[in-house]
Amino acid sequence: MNTYTRVSVTSNLQEAQNKVQQLYREGFEREHIYVLTHSAEGTDYVANYTGAEQITMAEEGVLTSIANLFRSRGDELRAKMRALGVPEVEAGRLESELDKGKILVLATPSTEVREYNGQDFQRTIL
């Protein structure tokens, strides 16, 4: 059973789709597999293509969602990652990968998110 949030950095749409399918085969439920890109439109497109979810108010909480309306896109992306259990320092590093056009695939074990375990991070970039 998966007990920690898992995060993968992918370089393109096909890699993201493969990672989503792999996580599903490993036992993550589809409604707990998320994608994130630097733009909201990109995230919507990737989510539709891969069948993954987007991080919404249900995961973030009402206060974070409202605060995101007034944040920069970078701050909003980091807040979304933090809502899924990614530590602040790692969220900052991952946000810089999004700046480069990468796609994040995140999976949580359930609605009860535990702190991100760095050992579960899977790098797909060199």
Side-chain angles (χ1 to χ4, degrees):
M1 180 175 143
N2 299 299
T3 57
Y4 295 96
T5 298
R6 301 240 323 252
V7 181
S8 296
V9 178
T10 62
S11 297
N12 58 52
L13 203 51
Q14 188 59 52
E15 280 183 21
Q17 184 175 40
N18 292 343
K19 181 54 68 175
V20 167
Q21 291 171 351
Q22 176 189 342
L23 291 165
Y24 179 69
R25 285 190 306 272
E26 289 179 16
F28 286 94
E29 296 178 27
R30 286 217 186 265
E31 60 268 10
H32 297 286
I33 301 173
Y34 306 89
V35 292
L36 191 61
T37 70
H38 198 276
S39 73
E41 298 82 16
T43 299
D44 187 47
Y45 181 80
V46 173
N48 286 331
Y49 184 86
T50 62
E53 298 293 322
Q54 297 184 53
I55 303 168
T56 64
M57 187 184 320
E59 292 80 29
E60 294 177 304
V62 175
L63 295 178
T64 300
S65 284
I66 292 170
N68 281 344
L69 296 173
F70 303 100
R71 291 181 171 146
S72 69
R73 182 63 179 164
D75 289 344
E76 178 185 357
L77 292 169
R78 288 187 298 277
K80 287 179 177 290
M81 287 183 256
R82 297 277 302 136
L84 295 184
V86 177
E88 190 171 337
V89 171
E90 189 66 11
R93 192 191 70 71
L94 291 168
E95 195 263 325
S96 70
E97 293 296 327
L98 293 175
D99 288 343
K100 299 173 189 172
K102 305 294 182 177
I103 301 168
L104 294 186
V105 179
L106 305 97
T108 60
S110 68
T111 54
E112 187 177 319
V113 176
R114 291 190 186 179
E115 183 67 17
Y116 173 73
N117 181 345
Q119 294 175 352
D120 290 331
F121 180 68
Q122 300 175 353
R123 286 184 198 269
T124 57
I125 59 170
L126 302 175

